[in-house]
Amino acid sequence: MAPPYETSAASESPAPVVTVDVTAASDLITSAGHRYVDVRTEEEMGKGHLHNSLNVPFMFITPQGREKNPLFVEHFSSLVSKEERVVVGCQSGKRSELACVDLMAAVSSSVINQWIDMSVVCV
């Protein structure tokens, strides 16, 4: 298995990632107009995902284990404008938190991490 992912800002003190629960995230998406970006793999998305969500995998599953998507920020930036407000989610919250750290370091959009219980939010 690949070594655990470390952010490039590990030695610095990155801005804290705002984490919200499923209910708050749902309110942000439906009422406040936030865009939902799911950072799970395409295979995981195939098992269920939120309607109108974007998929930008943060990691890929390779024969060596999970490896970070080297083009994650570029792919994200090509789909989401810097002015948009975004909720980033995954299955457990770990990948989305790492993704938020990278996005906050590279993109000036407002990103919020969400932990998802797929049985509750998936439509």
Side-chain angles (χ1 to χ4, degrees):
M1 185 174 254
Y5 173 76
E6 293 182 21
T7 63
S8 58
S11 61
E12 301 172 12
S13 223
V17 173
V18 177
T19 303
V20 298
D21 64 18
V22 174
T23 303
S26 178
D27 289 344
L28 288 170
I29 295 165
T30 58
S31 303
H34 284 59
R35 198 133 187 222
Y36 183 75
V37 178
D38 193 316
V39 297
R40 297 176 300 146
T41 64
E42 289 179 15
E43 296 83 8
E44 290 172 301
M45 285 285 289
K47 295 177 183 175
H49 60 276
L50 291 173
H51 180 66
N52 290 331
S53 62
L54 296 174
N55 180 225
V56 183
F58 184 70
M59 293 188 169
F60 296 117
I61 298 173
T62 68
Q64 294 77 32
R66 285 188 178 192
E67 293 186 12
K68 182 183 175 211
N69 175 358
L71 299 175
F72 172 74
V73 172
E74 290 84 358
H75 188 191
F76 180 94
S77 297
S78 73
L79 297 172
V80 178
S81 74
K82 291 182 180 183
E83 293 77 32
E84 287 184 89
R85 301 176 108 194
V86 180
V87 173
V88 179
C90 67
Q91 183 68 37
S92 69
K94 183 62 178 169
R95 283 176 284 180
S96 56
E97 181 178 17
L98 294 171
C100 285
V101 170
D102 280 8
L103 291 170
M104 288 170 37
V107 182
S108 63
S109 64
S110 173
V111 292
I112 296 174
N113 181 41
Q114 177 203 4
W115 176 83
I116 299 176
D117 176 348
M118 289 306 293
S119 64
V120 174
V121 249
C122 188
V123 292

PDB file of all heavy atoms in Angstrom, residues 43 50 70 74 108 120:
ATOM      1  N   GLU A  43     -15.308   4.640  -9.312  1.00  0.00           N
ATOM      2  CA  GLU A  43     -15.958   3.386  -8.909  1.00  0.00           C
ATOM      3  C   GLU A  43     -16.886   3.614  -7.716  1.00  0.00           C
ATOM      4  O   GLU A  43     -17.997   3.088  -7.676  1.00  0.00           O
ATOM      5  CB  GLU A  43     -14.914   2.313  -8.561  1.00  0.00           C
ATOM      6  CG  GLU A  43     -14.046   1.877  -9.723  1.00  0.00           C
ATOM      7  CD  GLU A  43     -12.855   2.804  -9.999  1.00  0.00           C
ATOM      8  OE1 GLU A  43     -12.587   3.732  -9.212  1.00  0.00           O
ATOM      9  OE2 GLU A  43     -12.212   2.608 -11.044  1.00  0.00           O
ATOM     10  N   LEU A  50     -24.780  12.105  -4.872  1.00  0.00           N
ATOM     11  CA  LEU A  50     -25.786  13.163  -4.864  1.00  0.00           C
ATOM     12  C   LEU A  50     -26.100  13.606  -6.288  1.00  0.00           C
ATOM     13  O   LEU A  50     -25.208  13.694  -7.133  1.00  0.00           O
ATOM     14  CB  LEU A  50     -25.283  14.378  -4.084  1.00  0.00           C
ATOM     15  CG  LEU A  50     -25.130  14.222  -2.589  1.00  0.00           C
ATOM     16  CD1 LEU A  50     -24.470  15.455  -1.998  1.00  0.00           C
ATOM     17  CD2 LEU A  50     -26.471  13.984  -1.936  1.00  0.00           C
ATOM     18  N   PRO A  70      -2.434  13.493  -9.251  1.00  0.00           N
ATOM     19  CA  PRO A  70      -1.497  14.613  -9.412  1.00  0.00           C
ATOM     20  C   PRO A  70      -2.123  15.835 -10.083  1.00  0.00           C
ATOM     21  O   PRO A  70      -1.585  16.935  -9.987  1.00  0.00           O
ATOM     22  CB  PRO A  70      -0.376  14.019 -10.270  1.00  0.00           C
ATOM     23  CG  PRO A  70      -1.000  12.878 -10.984  1.00  0.00           C
ATOM     24  CD  PRO A  70      -2.081  12.347 -10.077  1.00  0.00           C
ATOM     25  N   GLU A  74      -5.883  21.041 -10.707  1.00  0.00           N
ATOM     26  CA  GLU A  74      -6.128  21.503 -12.072  1.00  0.00           C
ATOM     27  C   GLU A  74      -7.500  21.049 -12.564  1.00  0.00           C
ATOM     28  O   GLU A  74      -8.237  21.834 -13.169  1.00  0.00           O
ATOM     29  CB  GLU A  74      -5.038  20.995 -13.021  1.00  0.00           C
ATOM     30  CG  GLU A  74      -3.683  21.649 -12.793  1.00  0.00           C
ATOM     31  CD  GLU A  74      -2.875  20.997 -11.674  1.00  0.00           C
ATOM     32  OE1 GLU A  74      -3.369  20.043 -11.015  1.00  0.00           O
ATOM     33  OE2 GLU A  74      -1.754  21.452 -11.427  1.00  0.00           O
ATOM     34  N   SER A 108      -8.628  30.234  -4.649  1.00  0.00           N
ATOM     35  CA  SER A 108      -9.226  31.202  -3.724  1.00  0.00           C
ATOM     36  C   SER A 108     -10.731  31.029  -3.585  1.00  0.00           C
ATOM     37  O   SER A 108     -11.428  31.948  -3.204  1.00  0.00           O
ATOM     38  CB  SER A 108      -8.897  32.617  -4.173  1.00  0.00           C
ATOM     39  OG  SER A 108      -9.466  32.860  -5.437  1.00  0.00           O
ATOM     40  N   VAL A 120     -27.527   8.163   4.176  1.00  0.00           N
ATOM     41  CA  VAL A 120     -28.407   9.282   4.526  1.00  0.00           C
ATOM     42  C   VAL A 120     -28.559  10.257   3.373  1.00  0.00           C
ATOM     43  O   VAL A 120     -29.645  10.690   3.064  1.00  0.00           O
ATOM     44  CB  VAL A 120     -27.851  10.019   5.776  1.00  0.00           C
ATOM     45  CG1 VAL A 120     -28.668  11.265   6.059  1.00  0.00           C
ATOM     46  CG2 VAL A 120     -27.848   9.098   6.971  1.00  0.00           C
TER      47      VAL A 120
END
